[in-house]
Amino acid sequence: KETALDTALVIDSIISKYVLDSGQAVVDWPAKSNLIGKIKIEIEDYLIDEVKRKYDIPLTFDEMDQIIDRSVDVAKLWFK
């Protein structure tokens, strides 16, 4: 549970870094594919370096892609 919570908090932090400016959502951020791409790359790097390797959790690339895509989908709903 602790690893899942830590992972969720880091993913939230990564997304917030890109989509919030002074606490407000960047205008039309979900439509900016370059921004979405940066978010996905940073989350993937975190999942590989910290979750998969550090905690030795056997995540496949498909599973990581699902986590990343779902995280971005939730962010699109939360950060409007």
Side-chain angles (χ1 to χ4, degrees):
K1 288 183 181 182
E2 187 175 324
T3 303
L5 177 59
D6 290 343
T7 301
L9 291 172
V10 170
I11 290 173
D12 180 65
S13 174
I14 291 168
I15 292 170
S16 295
K17 178 174 69 172
Y18 286 99
V19 305
L20 296 179
D21 183 21
S22 300
Q24 298 294 318
V26 174
V27 175
D28 293 333
W29 75 265
K32 298 177 180 178
S33 60
N34 59 334
L35 187 68
I36 299 290
K38 289 177 185 179
I39 292 169
K40 287 183 174 189
I41 288 169
E42 191 165 336
I43 294 172
E44 181 179 46
D45 289 345
Y46 171 77
L47 290 174
I48 291 170
D49 296 340
E50 294 296 321
V51 177
K52 186 172 178 156
R53 290 185 184 146
K54 183 176 178 181
Y55 297 110
D56 198 32
I57 296 175
L59 289 172
T60 67
F61 284 104
D62 285 339
E63 291 168 332
M64 287 188 285
D65 285 342
Q66 288 177 7
I67 292 168
I68 293 164
D69 289 340
R70 288 181 182 164
S71 298
V72 171
D73 288 345
V74 168
K76 287 178 181 178
L77 296 173
W78 280 30
F79 300 110
K80 290 183 180 183

